[in-house]
């Protein structure tokens, strides 16, 4: 089977500094290397498999707690995965087994891309604006930024005060500053630091309803 090049550990180190990193490989090689690193696979939702295949879905066919249930085939908001749990995954790995013309959008603090830098967001609002994080009986309150780690998903997080509302508006604005990662070939690997970068999927491109990305979420043991 293929082996990620550069290796998963190197990609994760780059993602830890830059927010994300791209390489090549396949599901088997990623899982094998992750196990050797002592990473633990995390199911995105209770009862789901650890390895998920992401496909475009209309609201009627989507899991009721997913972003697809709200946004369908349209533009999704920037978010981190697993925001609804106390300890979200540290790293996400996306793997393409087929080319797709719908990119993955990526954003991290300070990223400028081809546009001018994003508007300023106060650290006080990020760290102290309080959100209700809905997770049934396990719901809790949390800010969007704890230390240097982000938690944000408007699908499960509702602002509870003016500062949190400001944070929500800020992330809405950042979509225009996001970088687009293209998927022109099979065997591509995208490693995302889920605590330092946000991601999204734009509206599904015409003719790309068969889009598939395999996602594996990991706890690496490096986050406090």
């Amino acid at each position: 089977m293929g082996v990620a090049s550069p290796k998963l550990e190197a990609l994760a180190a780059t993602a830890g500094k830059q927010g994300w990193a791209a390489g090549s490989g396949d599901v088997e090689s990623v899982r094998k290397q992750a196990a050797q690193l002592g990473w633990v696979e995390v199911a995105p939702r209770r009862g789901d498999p650890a390895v998920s295949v992401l496909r475009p879905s209309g609201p009627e066919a989507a899991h009721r707690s997913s972003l697809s249930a709200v946004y369908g085939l349209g533009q999704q908001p920037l978010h981190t995965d697993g925001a609804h749990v106390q300890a979200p995954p540290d790293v996400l790995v996306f793997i393409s087994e087929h080319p797709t013309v719908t990119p993955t959008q990526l954003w991290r603090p300070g990223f400028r891309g081809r546009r001018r830098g994003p508007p300023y967001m106060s650290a006080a609002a990020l760290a102290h604006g309080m959100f209700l994080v809905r997770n049934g009986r396990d719901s809790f309150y949390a800010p969007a930024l704890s230390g240097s780690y982000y938690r944000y998903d408007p699908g499960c997080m509702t602002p509870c005060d003016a500062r949190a509302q400001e944070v929500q508006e800020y992330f809405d604005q950042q979509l225009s500053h996001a970088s687009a990662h293209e998927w022109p070939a099979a065997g591509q690997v995208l490693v995302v630091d889920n605590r330092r970068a946000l991601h999204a999927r734009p509206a599904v491109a015409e003719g790309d309803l068969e889009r598939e990305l395999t996602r594996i979420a990991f706890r690496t043991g490096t986050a406090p």
Side-chain angles (χ1 to χ4, degrees):
M1 303 295 293
V3 177
S5 177
K7 291 185 177 180
L8 182 62
E9 185 175 18
L11 290 174
T14 299
K17 297 176 182 177
Q18 302 180 5
W20 57 86
S24 60
D26 54 41
V27 173
E28 182 177 332
S29 67
V30 166
R31 298 184 79 183
K32 180 178 179 180
Q33 291 178 68
Q36 292 171 342
L37 293 170
W39 294 7
V40 177
E41 295 181 0
V42 182
R45 285 183 291 267
R46 188 180 293 112
D48 282 2
V51 179
S52 305
V53 179
L54 306 180
R55 301 181 178 92
S57 175
E60 67 286 346
H63 192 287
R64 64 180 182 178
S65 62
S66 68
L67 288 176
S68 293
V70 178
Y71 299 96
L73 303 177
Q75 170 73 59
Q76 292 182 351
L78 289 169
H79 62 281
T80 58
D81 279 10
H84 62 288
V85 297
Q86 292 280 358
D90 302 313
V91 170
L92 308 173
V93 181
F94 298 92
I95 306 153
S96 65
E97 297 190 13
H98 308 282
T100 172
V101 296
T102 305
T104 295
Q105 295 167 303
L106 299 156
W107 176 90
R108 61 177 172 80
F111 178 74
R112 291 175 179 267
R114 298 179 179 178
R115 299 173 180 265
R116 297 179 62 186
Y120 175 76
M121 179 78 251
S122 72
L126 286 166
H128 300 292
M130 202 56 56
F131 289 84
L132 170 62
V133 184
R134 300 187 307 279
N135 188 16
R137 290 177 294 179
D138 297 323
S139 297
F140 57 97
Y141 294 94
L145 181 65
S146 298
S148 60
Y149 293 148
Y150 284 85
R151 173 200 304 275
Y152 184 70
D153 183 344
C156 67
M157 294 174 62
T158 301
C160 297
D161 55 38
R163 287 187 293 193
Q165 183 65 49
E166 183 183 356
V167 170
Q168 185 176 63
E169 293 171 357
Y170 170 72
F171 283 128
D172 286 345
Q173 295 167 2
Q174 298 320 295
L175 206 48
S176 63
H177 300 282
S179 174
H181 176 79
E182 306 290 345
W183 299 97
Q188 291 180 266
V189 170
L190 176 65
V191 177
V192 178
D193 187 323
N194 190 51
R195 307 304 296 270
R196 291 185 173 89
L198 281 66
H199 67 280
R201 189 216 65 207
V204 178
E206 184 176 355
D208 202 27
L209 291 178
E210 300 303 315
R211 180 184 194 263
E212 289 187 353
L213 290 178
T214 298
R215 178 190 60 194
I216 314 176
F218 296 99
R219 290 203 181 98
T220 65
T222 58

